[in-house]
């Protein structure tokens, strides 16, 4: 990158900048100037908080104040979408269009449009008898932008003009599959299906937004930071993410495609209720889902209540 000339800049989020004690003149983005002797190891140390406690002195870092941050903001949005660490090296080029054409690179016009929820199309559905309910049906929904699939598990045959039990469940490989004791995701998943089975109907939306939307690799990075003594919110911030990066509008879109407009939501998270209402889904009741607390996740749940407003 240096051989191409110019002055590369490391873009990090405002959250990461707070940890680095770097000025984020653009508020949500900080444009860190690379020292002349900076190498790839220096860049990784600034971008990745894994070694923050081992090498706490990284500055003082100089950040840009003048000029547009559109390119840097777009770069952060792209790496977040790819579930990578939210940091990117950015190098302005005199003829970026020609360079992209010569090297067969994708070219995007800036600024990027605001994030929108793509349309989700049903691509397959089949009967699925489950332990919690023999009368089950699994629907697979795929977005038009090539993003991740999401799933709707229908228990029974809920009336489309009714208000069935609905759970918006974010994928949690560690909790749902491995039975991790660090969270309450697995117990919540099974308790929600059990309640729907007892009621004879319901819809569980299984959204592929692992780690509150940061992906499994970054979630493991956050777990590593939690082992160093940071809570779940602090760990996300040190990585450069917000408390919660999920898009609950996806759930509303799928519910509409299934024909529902009113629901009773199984959740402890008021934010899910607000997002459903904003997206045009009427939440007629909140049904608490308090299960799975134990020795290994007590502090995690307390943090969600204190810092994220969960009703626990």
């Amino acid at each position: 990158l240096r051989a191409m000339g110019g002055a590369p800049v490391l873009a990090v989020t405002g959250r990461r900048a707070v940890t680095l004690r770097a000025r984020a003149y653009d508020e949500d983005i900080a444009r860190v100037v690379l020292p002349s002797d900076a190498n790839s190891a220096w860049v990784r140390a600034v971008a990745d908080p894994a070694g923050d406690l081992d090498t706490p002195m990284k500055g003082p870092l100089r950040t840009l104040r003048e000029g547009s941050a559109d390119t840097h903001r777009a770069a952060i949005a792209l790496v977040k979408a790819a579930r990578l660490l939210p940091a990117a090296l950015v190098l302005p080029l005199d003829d970026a269009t020609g360079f992209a054409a010569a090297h067969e690179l994708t070219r995007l016009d800036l600024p990027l449009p605001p994030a929108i929820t793509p349309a989700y199309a049903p691509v397959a559905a089949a009967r699925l008898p489950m332990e919690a309910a023999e009368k089950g049906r699994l629907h697979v929904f795929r977005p038009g932008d090539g993003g991740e699939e999401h799933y709707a598990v229908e228990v029974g045959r809920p009336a489309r003009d009714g208000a069935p039990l609905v759970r918006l469940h974010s994928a949690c490989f560690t909790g749902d599959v491995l039975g991790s004791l660090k969270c309450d995701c697995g117990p919540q998943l099974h308790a929600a299906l059990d309640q729907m089975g007892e009621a004879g109907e319901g819809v569980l939306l299984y959204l592929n937004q692992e780690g509150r939307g940061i992906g499994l690799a970054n979630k493991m990075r956050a777990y590593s930071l939690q082992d160093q003594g940071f809570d779940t919110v602090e760990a996300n911030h040190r990585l450069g993410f917000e408390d919660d990066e999920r898009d609950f509008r996806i759930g509303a879109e799928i519910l509409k495609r299934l024909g529902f407009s009113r629901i009773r939501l199984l959740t402890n998270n008021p934010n899910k209720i607000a997002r459903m209402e904003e997206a045009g889904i009427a939440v007629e009741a909140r049904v608490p889902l308090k299960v799975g607390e134990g020795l290994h996740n007590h502090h995690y749940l307390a943090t969600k209540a204190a810092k994220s407003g969960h009703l626990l």
Side-chain angles (χ1 to χ4, degrees):
L1 193 67
R2 286 193 181 281
M4 295 171 66
V9 170
L10 179 62
V12 298
T13 67
R15 290 292 191 188
R16 180 63 181 150
V18 170
T19 298
L20 296 168
R21 292 180 172 80
R23 287 287 188 92
Y25 291 108
D26 304 296
E27 295 185 358
D28 59 325
I29 299 292
R31 294 171 284 155
V32 180
V33 177
L34 267 64
S36 59
D37 59 346
N39 56 19
S40 58
W42 184 93
V43 171
R44 174 169 286 279
V46 173
D48 189 346
D52 279 355
L53 296 186
D54 298 327
T55 56
M57 300 304 294
K58 296 184 175 66
L61 300 176
R62 186 167 69 88
T63 56
L64 296 180
R65 186 172 190 169
E66 305 299 330
S68 172
D70 285 348
T71 304
H72 311 80
R73 190 170 287 110
I76 293 293
L78 290 171
V79 295
K80 274 189 176 184
R83 303 291 191 260
L84 302 173
L85 278 169
L89 278 171
V90 178
L91 177 67
L93 298 176
D94 291 334
D95 182 16
T97 299
F99 183 85
H103 296 276
E104 299 183 340
L105 301 176
T106 299
R107 185 178 67 85
L108 300 175
D109 292 323
L110 298 180
L112 295 179
I116 60 172
T117 302
Y120 282 83
V123 295
R127 185 177 66 87
L128 181 69
M130 298 170 289
E131 183 178 335
E134 289 190 10
K135 293 183 178 179
R137 190 170 183 82
L138 177 63
H139 303 259
V140 177
F141 286 83
R142 187 174 293 161
D145 66 355
E148 292 177 292
E149 295 176 339
H150 302 282
Y151 317 120
V153 181
E154 190 175 3
V155 174
R157 289 289 182 179
R160 267 41 184 180
D161 59 353
L165 278 174
V166 169
R167 167 72 182 163
L168 271 66
H169 188 87
S170 298
C172 178
F173 173 74
T174 51
D176 299 342
V177 179
L178 301 181
S180 168
L181 302 178
K182 285 179 66 70
C183 65
D184 56 344
C185 300
Q188 284 191 325
L189 171 64
H190 296 291
L193 287 172
D194 287 342
Q195 285 196 47
M196 293 174 190
E198 292 171 6
E201 64 175 31
V203 179
L204 185 138
L205 302 179
Y206 198 86
L207 307 178
N208 279 308
Q209 301 191 99
E210 179 88 38
R212 296 202 292 272
I214 66 176
L216 184 58
N218 286 321
K219 179 172 140 181
M220 290 301 97
R221 291 184 173 111
Y223 275 13
S224 179
L225 292 172
Q226 290 172 35
D227 289 340
Q228 297 177 21
F230 301 103
D231 66 35
T232 181
V233 172
E234 292 167 344
N236 266 33
H237 290 178
R238 292 186 77 87
L239 283 165
F241 293 105
E242 297 301 317
D243 303 22
D244 195 333
E245 297 270 354
R246 291 174 292 183
D247 184 356
F248 294 124
R249 296 173 299 178
I250 296 170
E253 168 75 12
I254 292 174
L255 285 170
K256 291 176 184 177
R257 292 303 301 261
L258 288 171
F260 297 104
S261 59
R262 299 184 297 123
I263 62 174
R264 289 177 294 132
L265 192 58
L266 275 160
T267 187
N268 304 321
N269 185 354
N271 188 41
K272 287 184 179 180
I273 299 172
R275 299 291 84 76
M276 289 297 98
E277 295 278 4
E278 289 173 2
I281 299 293
V283 180
E284 297 198 349
R286 181 187 78 86
V287 181
L289 194 60
K290 300 179 182 180
V291 293
E293 182 172 355
L295 176 65
H296 296 281
N297 65 14
H298 173 75
H299 183 60
Y300 164 77
L301 295 176
T303 299
K304 287 208 297 185
K307 293 189 174 182
S308 301
H310 287 220
L311 303 173
L312 296 169

